[in-house]
Amino acid sequence: MYGQMPAAPAPRPGGGSSAGKVAVRVLVTAAVVLSLGLLAWVAMLRLAIMRRTIRDWVLFWAQLALTVGCFVLLQEEDQDSWQINVGAAVVLAMAAAVVWHYLATDIKHHRAAAVPGARPPHGAPAYGYPPVDPATAVTLPGPNPNPYTQQPQPPNPYATTPPASAPTPPPSPRIDQVRAELDELSDLLRKEGEK
């Protein structure tokens, strides 16, 4: 019950299961295609959140504004007007462009993350740290000790050591008496339950 726990499996390079990544790609692409491009902003928003670059946020807002503009054009009363034709053509072309851009960028982003030693795009700070310009970075003089070398550990004053050869005392007669009484009580309850 309190024995050693099995070791956790080693994490796969790339940060997670490829089946999950493919499933998300399929769902986002299906949302864009099945909505005929009206939900193309979902794919662009996912890219902008995932990559956190200014270019992706600009593309997201531009695509969202274009989608709203196409909604306005598609609201025309006359079904054969040029506004509806232009709006529908732009929405369909935008859907194809967004699907192509989303899949190409998402695949490239996850392949770069799977390569060991790959760095995030320049300007994308690591979580919790502001971006640092290498030209103005401050370095401390002196030798850099390796923090991963094995350091001698001081003895733990709070560690408990089991007694060397302390014999276990024999069970007391009181415990045997309690066990016998419990057995009698069990038998009595079993007989009452059968009636």
Side-chain angles (χ1 to χ4, degrees):
M1 183 164 120
Y2 293 105
Q4 289 183 342
M5 297 297 291
R12 297 171 71 186
S17 106
S18 60
K21 294 174 190 173
V22 170
V24 170
R25 285 183 196 137
V26 168
L27 288 174
V28 171
T29 303
V32 173
V33 171
L34 293 177
S35 69
L36 298 176
L38 296 178
L39 291 178
W41 59 270
V42 172
M44 298 303 287
L45 178 62
R46 182 170 188 277
L47 282 179
I49 291 172
M50 182 177 62
R51 292 185 40 187
R52 298 182 189 149
T53 62
I54 294 173
R55 176 178 174 261
D56 288 324
W57 283 107
V58 168
L59 286 174
F60 163 69
W61 287 110
Q63 191 276 327
L64 189 63
L66 193 59
T67 301
V68 170
C70 289
F71 267 124
V72 171
L73 289 176
L74 291 174
Q75 296 301 317
E76 185 66 31
E77 294 288 327
D78 184 18
Q79 295 297 320
D80 290 329
S81 70
W82 66 272
Q83 289 97 345
I84 288 183
N85 294 337
V86 168
V90 169
V91 166
L92 292 176
M94 182 176 53
V98 165
V99 165
W100 175 80
H101 175 71
Y102 170 72
L103 289 176
T105 305
D106 190 49
I107 290 170
K108 184 169 45 167
H109 174 76
H110 286 295
R111 278 193 185 152
V115 175
R119 303 182 132 216
H122 184 66
Y127 180 77
Y129 294 99
V132 176
D133 183 15
T136 61
V138 177
T139 57
L140 299 174
N144 292 332
N146 186 355
Y148 299 108
T149 58
Q150 185 67 20
Q151 301 292 329
Q153 298 293 324
N156 185 355
Y158 300 108
T160 59
T161 56
S165 63
T168 57
S172 68
R174 173 79 178 132
I175 291 177
D176 292 334
Q177 179 187 357
V178 169
R179 283 185 186 145
E181 289 174 2
L182 286 174
D183 288 340
E184 289 176 23
L185 185 61
S186 306
D187 292 339
L188 180 66
L189 288 173
R190 241 183 255 119
K191 290 176 184 174
E192 289 293 323
E194 291 175 1
K195 291 182 181 178

